[in-house]
Amino acid sequence: MIGSFVYDALPVRVVFGRGTLSAAAAEVERLGAKRALVLTTPQQEAEGRRLGAGLGGLFGGIYAGATMHTPADVTEAALSIMTESGADCVVSLGGGSTTGLGKALALRSGVDQLCIPTTYAGSEMTPILGETRDGLKTTVRTLDVLPETVIYDVDLTLTLPAALSATSGINAVAHAVEALYAQDRSPIVSLMAEEGIRALAVALPAIIRDPQDVEARTQALYGAWLCGCCLGSAGMALHHKLCHVLGGSFNLPHAETHTIVLPHAVAYNAAAAPEAMAAIRRALGAADAANGLFDLICGLGVPQALAEIGMPGDGIDRAADIAVEKPYWNPRPIERDAIHALLARAHAGEPPLSETVSKAA
């Protein structure tokens, strides 16, 4: 049964395919920009310089200092370079760290953004910016940070290491999962979410088997686009709150944190969101949503425990306290003891509680 809902279609131009990186200069010109500052991480600086060469006279310089969780001091350094270069547009080449920096610059200066993602993070499709200052990560939602144009080039993902492809892909799945039970969910978003989860659940194991599988890479990038659309059109809940706490306060790697926490957050909400759980089960072909996700992750051979990625055991108490201090909306009430137990299971790498157990609890 379909009830009342509100759906905001976001104004993002998408160019999807193989070899589409060659359209970058034309897309910058389409924005009316004269000088573009290319943004990358230090690891992707060489790729950024090649992109700059392809921009020709539109290339205004490069800032290769993007890093995860968008620290405010990095943004200020990039803003200074952008001002000096006279750039009126930023071109973000990379994953969520680079996209986040581009958004932060757009928020402060109003410049247009062209995003060229090389991972499956999905941030390029959202009007959401997460920034870290003084050890705390906060988010803002505004169309001022929504990129104007996104170029998806499947060829750019062929060199993405298999393990990073897996965690980046599960990070994308997390966006779709939460959109299924978000406060502002809608039938349109739910359709995209289920299809996005399905595409990635099929593609990621294939990529682990053969990172050069072009069809799997295409399916994964397609799924990531859909999942990013979901995050852009619907709100966030417990899973993203926990990941923001763990990333911002403990400096844990973004994609790996999402990968580990997701099955546990789903188990926490299972009894309160039965329609969402049914959609996840259909997309995975699994009998249980939370454990289906856990099994998918196990099969990808990536970390399953927060302890494996640097989370100290004595930090669980602090993380639980921060998570309940200013909680995001969630279908199940946020209870400090239950959150602590969730984090403890995720820290140890234990399987999530099944839906049956969650309903009985």
Side-chain angles (χ1 to χ4, degrees):
M1 183 177 186
I2 298 176
S4 300
F5 65 89
V6 173
Y7 170 64
D8 285 322
L10 298 176
V12 182
R13 175 177 167 84
V14 172
V15 180
F16 187 103
R18 296 191 65 186
T20 48
L21 182 63
S22 63
E27 292 300 324
V28 169
E29 289 180 337
R30 190 174 185 277
L31 293 173
K34 302 300 182 184
R35 291 179 65 80
L37 178 68
V38 174
L39 307 175
T40 73
T41 60
Q43 295 80 8
Q44 291 184 292
E45 181 175 359
E47 292 90 337
R49 292 194 178 280
R50 284 196 291 272
L51 171 60
L55 292 177
L58 295 168
F59 182 44
I62 186 169
Y63 179 81
T67 189
M68 63 181 184
H69 308 308
T70 319
D73 59 335
V74 171
T75 300
E76 294 304 320
L79 184 61
S80 177
I81 297 297
M82 188 180 77
T83 301
E84 291 173 6
S85 71
D88 56 357
C89 169
V90 292
V91 179
S92 303
L93 176 70
S97 297
T98 308
T99 300
L101 177 58
K103 288 180 171 183
L105 293 174
L107 181 65
R108 287 162 172 77
S109 67
V111 295
D112 286 342
Q113 302 172 73
L114 168 61
C115 284
I116 308 172
T118 59
T119 71
Y120 306 129
S123 175
E124 67 279 354
M125 293 305 298
T126 78
I128 303 166
L129 169 64
E131 295 186 280
T132 303
R133 187 188 297 272
D134 300 326
L136 289 176
K137 189 170 186 177
T138 58
T139 61
V140 60
R141 186 182 187 98
T142 170
L143 288 176
D144 292 339
V145 304
L146 182 70
E148 279 69 30
T149 305
V150 177
I151 292 177
Y152 288 105
D153 189 334
V154 175
D155 293 340
L156 296 180
T157 66
L158 292 173
T159 56
L160 187 65
L164 182 53
S165 298
T167 55
S168 178
I170 298 298
N171 182 14
V173 168
H175 304 329
V177 164
E178 290 232 302
L180 286 167
Y181 54 67
Q183 188 175 25
D184 48 1
R185 63 190 178 277
S186 75
I188 305 302
V189 172
S190 294
L191 285 170
M192 291 190 290
E194 188 171 335
E195 173 65 2
I197 296 169
R198 184 208 61 76
L200 281 158
V202 171
L204 295 179
I207 289 171
I208 294 297
R209 292 190 296 270
D210 177 11
Q212 297 298 306
D213 185 333
V214 173
E215 178 55 31
R217 288 292 189 180
T218 303
Q219 280 289 311
L221 197 58
Y222 161 72
W225 166 57
L226 289 174
C227 293
C229 290
C230 293
L231 180 63
S233 298
M236 296 179 286
L238 173 66
H239 170 79
H240 281 83
K241 175 64 177 183
L242 292 176
C243 292
H244 290 161
V245 168
L246 295 169
S249 299
F250 298 91
N251 201 36
L252 300 188
H254 184 81
E256 289 87 342
T257 302
H258 275 272
T259 299
I260 294 166
V261 170
L262 181 60
H264 301 279
V266 168
Y268 185 96
N269 283 326
E275 291 183 4
M277 298 305 121
I280 297 168
R281 291 195 300 268
R282 288 193 301 268
L284 298 176
D288 179 276
N291 280 282
L293 287 166
F294 188 76
D295 291 344
L296 172 62
I297 292 164
C298 289
L300 299 175
V302 294
Q304 298 151 45
L306 292 175
E308 293 182 65
I309 61 170
M311 176 68 183
D314 60 6
I316 295 175
D317 279 334
R318 181 179 169 220
D321 288 340
I322 299 172
V324 302
E325 188 175 294
K326 294 180 180 178
Y328 298 169
W329 181 92
N330 194 64
R332 174 183 168 184
I334 303 299
E335 302 160 352
R336 199 267 182 193
D337 289 347
I339 295 300
H340 188 281
L342 181 163
L343 290 170
R345 294 182 74 86
H347 185 267
E350 298 174 358
L353 294 173
S354 69
E355 292 178 32
T356 302
V357 173
S358 297
K359 290 173 183 175

